Amino acid sequence: AMAAGAQLFLTTLDQPLVLFDFGADPQSSSEFVAVDDSIMGGSSSSALMPGDECATFTGKLVCERGGFASVRTSGRDTCYSMDGTKGFEIVCRGDGNTTFKLSLRMDPRVDGVAYQQDFVGPALWSVCELPWYGFVASWRGRIVADAPPLDPTKVRAVGLMVSKWDDHGVPRKDVRTGPFRLDVRVIRALHWPTDAQRSRVPGYGPQLFPVA
């Protein structure tokens, strides 16, 4: 299965800005801490664990009550330097069915507004590209319509999530209580191809590119 609007393509990209290279340093997964639905009375659990040339986001989603599990970096005193980038790129592998979220925060507070975008963890190692315009502001699963636009120069925290809610706050009908797993090699911001190159890539939203 593939996220709506996603296509498979090979392309040449400009040099990305690497935030986390778990392939080279799996132990850097220790920068992420679990923030699960226990804060809302739930019992989901998660962790980002070092693996074999990757980090693994794994745990159990329990749909009753809270219904989400996540990991994220602690809010930084300084922002990630992503000026001039077009979006995020995640090199990852899932089961081809489970939907995850990439979650970004400009607010240094633990419980501030998050900007989230859904993507399906591909069954084979692939690059999943998430454009800035696809991120939706939310707070505890509810859309925040009056939130300021996501500013790539002001991102202080990065996270991964699995949830019974989609990135527009709508309950997912296909989500069930159970274990989940997403292997991640790299998380990076990128300068996408020129308009002429991008015009050859149809679809709106996440794009998937197979990798070795």
Side-chain angles (χ1 to χ4, degrees), residues 21-37:
D21 186 349
F22 301 121
D25 182 16
Q27 297 298 327
S28 60
S29 60
S30 63
E31 296 183 37
F32 290 73
V33 297
V35 182
D36 300 318
D37 59 11

mmCIF file of all heavy atoms in Angstrom, residues 21-37:
data_model
loop_
_atom_site.group_PDB
_atom_site.id
_atom_site.type_symbol
_atom_site.label_atom_id
_atom_site.label_comp_id
_atom_site.label_asym_id
_atom_site.label_seq_id
_atom_site.Cartn_x
_atom_site.Cartn_y
_atom_site.Cartn_z
ATOM 1 N N ASP A 21 21.647 10.707 10.829
ATOM 2 C CA ASP A 21 22.130 9.618 9.983
ATOM 3 C C ASP A 21 22.295 8.383 10.859
ATOM 4 O O ASP A 21 23.368 8.103 11.391
ATOM 5 C CB ASP A 21 23.454 10.006 9.324
ATOM 6 C CG ASP A 21 23.932 8.973 8.307
ATOM 7 O OD1 ASP A 21 23.347 7.873 8.270
ATOM 8 O OD2 ASP A 21 24.875 9.274 7.553
ATOM 9 N N PHE A 22 21.195 7.651 11.026
ATOM 10 C CA PHE A 22 21.221 6.467 11.876
ATOM 11 C C PHE A 22 21.997 5.328 11.219
ATOM 12 O O PHE A 22 22.457 4.418 11.914
ATOM 13 C CB PHE A 22 19.792 6.009 12.179
ATOM 14 C CG PHE A 22 18.954 7.042 12.861
ATOM 15 C CD1 PHE A 22 17.779 7.507 12.289
ATOM 16 C CD2 PHE A 22 19.333 7.570 14.086
ATOM 17 C CE1 PHE A 22 16.996 8.458 12.909
ATOM 18 C CE2 PHE A 22 18.562 8.532 14.728
ATOM 19 C CZ PHE A 22 17.385 8.978 14.135
ATOM 20 N N GLY A 23 22.130 5.364 9.889
ATOM 21 C CA GLY A 23 22.927 4.352 9.215
ATOM 22 C C GLY A 23 24.377 4.426 9.630
ATOM 23 O O GLY A 23 25.036 3.394 9.824
ATOM 24 N N ALA A 24 24.903 5.647 9.778
ATOM 25 C CA ALA A 24 26.289 5.834 10.190
ATOM 26 C C ALA A 24 26.439 5.786 11.708
ATOM 27 O O ALA A 24 27.468 5.357 12.230
ATOM 28 C CB ALA A 24 26.810 7.169 9.661
ATOM 29 N N ASP A 25 25.399 6.222 12.433
ATOM 30 C CA ASP A 25 25.476 6.301 13.886
ATOM 31 C C ASP A 25 24.141 5.902 14.514
ATOM 32 O O ASP A 25 23.341 6.762 14.908
ATOM 33 C CB ASP A 25 25.859 7.726 14.314
ATOM 34 C CG ASP A 25 25.996 7.877 15.829
ATOM 35 O OD1 ASP A 25 26.090 6.844 16.527
ATOM 36 O OD2 ASP A 25 26.002 9.024 16.319
ATOM 37 N N PRO A 26 23.870 4.595 14.609
ATOM 38 C CA PRO A 26 22.597 4.157 15.194
ATOM 39 C C PRO A 26 22.381 4.659 16.616
ATOM 40 O O PRO A 26 21.239 4.848 17.044
ATOM 41 C CB PRO A 26 22.703 2.624 15.159
ATOM 42 C CG PRO A 26 23.689 2.331 14.072
ATOM 43 C CD PRO A 26 24.677 3.461 14.136
ATOM 44 N N GLN A 27 23.469 4.894 17.346
ATOM 45 C CA GLN A 27 23.340 5.323 18.735
ATOM 46 C C GLN A 27 22.781 6.738 18.873
ATOM 47 O O GLN A 27 22.360 7.143 19.958
ATOM 48 C CB GLN A 27 24.703 5.237 19.435
ATOM 49 C CG GLN A 27 25.262 3.825 19.526
ATOM 50 C CD GLN A 27 24.374 2.895 20.340
ATOM 51 O OE1 GLN A 27 23.718 3.305 21.297
ATOM 52 N NE2 GLN A 27 24.353 1.626 19.960
ATOM 53 N N SER A 28 22.764 7.496 17.767
ATOM 54 C CA SER A 28 22.182 8.841 17.845
ATOM 55 C C SER A 28 20.679 8.790 18.083
ATOM 56 O O SER A 28 20.052 9.816 18.349
ATOM 57 C CB SER A 28 22.489 9.632 16.574
ATOM 58 O OG SER A 28 21.958 9.009 15.423
ATOM 59 N N SER A 29 20.105 7.590 18.025
ATOM 60 C CA SER A 29 18.689 7.426 18.367
ATOM 61 C C SER A 29 18.417 7.817 19.818
ATOM 62 O O SER A 29 17.273 8.089 20.186
ATOM 63 C CB SER A 29 18.252 5.979 18.133
ATOM 64 O OG SER A 29 19.019 5.084 18.931
ATOM 65 N N SER A 30 19.474 7.862 20.642
ATOM 66 C CA SER A 30 19.297 8.222 22.052
ATOM 67 C C SER A 30 18.864 9.676 22.228
ATOM 68 O O SER A 30 18.449 10.071 23.323
ATOM 69 C CB SER A 30 20.591 7.975 22.824
ATOM 70 O OG SER A 30 21.633 8.812 22.334
ATOM 71 N N GLU A 31 18.946 10.482 21.163
ATOM 72 C CA GLU A 31 18.485 11.869 21.238
ATOM 73 C C GLU A 31 16.958 11.968 21.271
ATOM 74 O O GLU A 31 16.413 13.035 21.537
ATOM 75 C CB GLU A 31 19.020 12.670 20.053
ATOM 76 C CG GLU A 31 20.538 12.790 20.019
ATOM 77 C CD GLU A 31 21.013 13.658 18.875
ATOM 78 O OE1 GLU A 31 20.339 14.667 18.573
ATOM 79 O OE2 GLU A 31 22.050 13.326 18.272
ATOM 80 N N PHE A 32 16.274 10.855 20.959
ATOM 81 C CA PHE A 32 14.812 10.831 20.929
ATOM 82 C C PHE A 32 14.281 10.201 22.209
ATOM 83 O O PHE A 32 14.790 9.181 22.675
ATOM 84 C CB PHE A 32 14.318 10.021 19.725
ATOM 85 C CG PHE A 32 14.549 10.686 18.403
ATOM 86 C CD1 PHE A 32 15.826 10.769 17.857
ATOM 87 C CD2 PHE A 32 13.492 11.224 17.681
ATOM 88 C CE1 PHE A 32 16.041 11.375 16.629
ATOM 89 C CE2 PHE A 32 13.696 11.823 16.447
ATOM 90 C CZ PHE A 32 14.976 11.909 15.926
ATOM 91 N N VAL A 33 13.214 10.789 22.748
ATOM 92 C CA VAL A 33 12.570 10.251 23.943
ATOM 93 C C VAL A 33 11.116 9.920 23.612
ATOM 94 O O VAL A 33 10.515 10.527 22.724
ATOM 95 C CB VAL A 33 12.635 11.251 25.116
ATOM 96 C CG1 VAL A 33 14.075 11.511 25.514
ATOM 97 C CG2 VAL A 33 11.944 12.564 24.756
ATOM 98 N N ALA A 34 10.565 8.971 24.328
ATOM 99 C CA ALA A 34 9.177 8.557 24.100
ATOM 100 C C ALA A 34 8.217 9.561 24.724
ATOM 101 O O ALA A 34 8.413 10.006 25.858
ATOM 102 C CB ALA A 34 8.939 7.174 24.680
ATOM 103 N N VAL A 35 7.183 9.928 23.956
ATOM 104 C CA VAL A 35 6.076 10.745 24.466
ATOM 105 C C VAL A 35 4.806 10.044 24.008
ATOM 106 O O VAL A 35 4.331 10.242 22.891
ATOM 107 C CB VAL A 35 6.124 12.191 23.935
ATOM 108 C CG1 VAL A 35 4.980 13.006 24.525
ATOM 109 C CG2 VAL A 35 7.463 12.839 24.242
ATOM 110 N N ASP A 36 4.256 9.202 24.875
ATOM 111 C CA ASP A 36 3.129 8.350 24.494
ATOM 112 C C ASP A 36 1.831 8.835 25.126
ATOM 113 O O ASP A 36 1.804 9.833 25.849
ATOM 114 C CB ASP A 36 3.424 6.900 24.889
ATOM 115 C CG ASP A 36 4.673 6.357 24.203
ATOM 116 O OD1 ASP A 36 4.850 6.634 23.001
ATOM 117 O OD2 ASP A 36 5.457 5.669 24.871
ATOM 118 N N ASP A 37 0.752 8.110 24.853
ATOM 119 C CA ASP A 37 -0.576 8.578 25.262
ATOM 120 C C ASP A 37 -0.875 8.419 26.748
ATOM 121 O O ASP A 37 -2.002 8.665 27.174
ATOM 122 C CB ASP A 37 -1.660 7.906 24.421
ATOM 123 C CG ASP A 37 -1.635 6.389 24.527
ATOM 124 O OD1 ASP A 37 -0.931 5.845 25.409
ATOM 125 O OD2 ASP A 37 -2.313 5.738 23.707
#
